């Protein structure tokens, strides 16, 4: 019975050997390392685009965390490799892969940091609708875009912790004893 498994094992070993021989890793490859020109550190996860001689993109991939890259090509020919990363100027290198040197090394490629001067910059911020402070919660009606069209009762229904029932009875945190301040001050108009 144990001799029955030997031919099967032999056939499986032959099959995997053929698969390994046909692997694209044994064909043509180009490798290199991308580094920052100013700090000489590797550029992690840079995008590498490989184009053939007809300027058609045939591969696009990311380098590793150290800036190293390796691309496997199916055939010999002239290629262009474009290296891009956020914050760096992109670089394009022409490269020829031949049968004499199926595995080639581009060495260390330096990418220069990209600097751009901005024109006018405008910082726009919107006032928050609800602001919490140490001793109070502030609801800004000025920041609410519906304030010109809604009534005071409609606006109170939007305030956190405030409930207004159908008979327009107002409660704050479930209690009907509360004080309303107008611009941070007591108001005789709202005292009742």
């Amino acid at each position: 019975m144990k001799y029955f498994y030997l031919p099967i094992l032999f056939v499986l070993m032959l099959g995997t050997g053929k698969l390994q021989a046909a692997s694209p890793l044994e064909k043509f490859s180009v490798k290199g390392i991308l580094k920052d020109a100013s700090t000489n550190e590797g550029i992690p996860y840079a995008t590498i685009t490989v184009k053939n001689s007809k300027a058609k993109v045939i591969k696009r991939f990311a380098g590793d965390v150290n800036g190293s890259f390796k691309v496997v090509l199916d055939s010999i020919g002239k290629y262009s490799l474009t290296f891009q990363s956020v914050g760096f100027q992109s670089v394009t290198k022409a490269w020829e892969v031949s049968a004499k040197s199926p595995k080639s090394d581009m060495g260390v490629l330096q990418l220069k940091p990209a600097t751009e001067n901005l024109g006018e910059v405008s910082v726009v911020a919107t006032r928050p609708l609800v602001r919490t402070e140490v001793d109070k919660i502030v609801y800004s009606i000025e920041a609410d875009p519906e304030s010109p069209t809604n009534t005071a009762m409609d606006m109170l229904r939007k305030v956190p912790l405030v409930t207004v029932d159908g008979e327009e009875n107002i409660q704050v945190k479930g209690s009907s004893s509360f004080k309303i301040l107008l611009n941070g001050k007591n108001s005789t108009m709202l005292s009742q």
Side-chain angles (χ1 to χ4, degrees), residues 90-141:
S90 62
V91 172
T92 301
K93 293 279 185 182
W95 201 259
E96 186 172 353
V97 177
S98 64
K100 292 180 183 176
S101 59
K103 296 180 181 178
S104 55
D105 189 355
M106 294 184 97
V108 176
L109 298 167
Q110 302 279 337
L111 296 184
K112 295 178 183 175
T115 56
E116 292 187 30
N117 293 329
L118 298 176
E120 182 179 324
V121 176
S122 298
V123 178
V124 179
T126 57
R127 175 179 265 175
L129 195 59
V130 178
R131 190 176 74 243
T132 58
E133 295 180 7
V134 176
D135 58 343
K136 60 186 169 187
I137 296 175
V138 178
Y139 181 83
S140 175
I141 292 179

Side-chain angles (χ1 to χ4, degrees), residues 4 6 15 53 55 58-59 66 70-71 74 87-88 100 125 131-132 137 155 163 174:
F4 174 73
L6 281 177
S53 59
I58 57 172
K59 290 192 182 204
N66 300 320
K70 182 176 183 179
V71 59
D74 294 332
F88 293 92
K100 292 180 183 176
R131 190 176 74 243
T132 58
I137 296 175
M155 298 307 292
T163 55

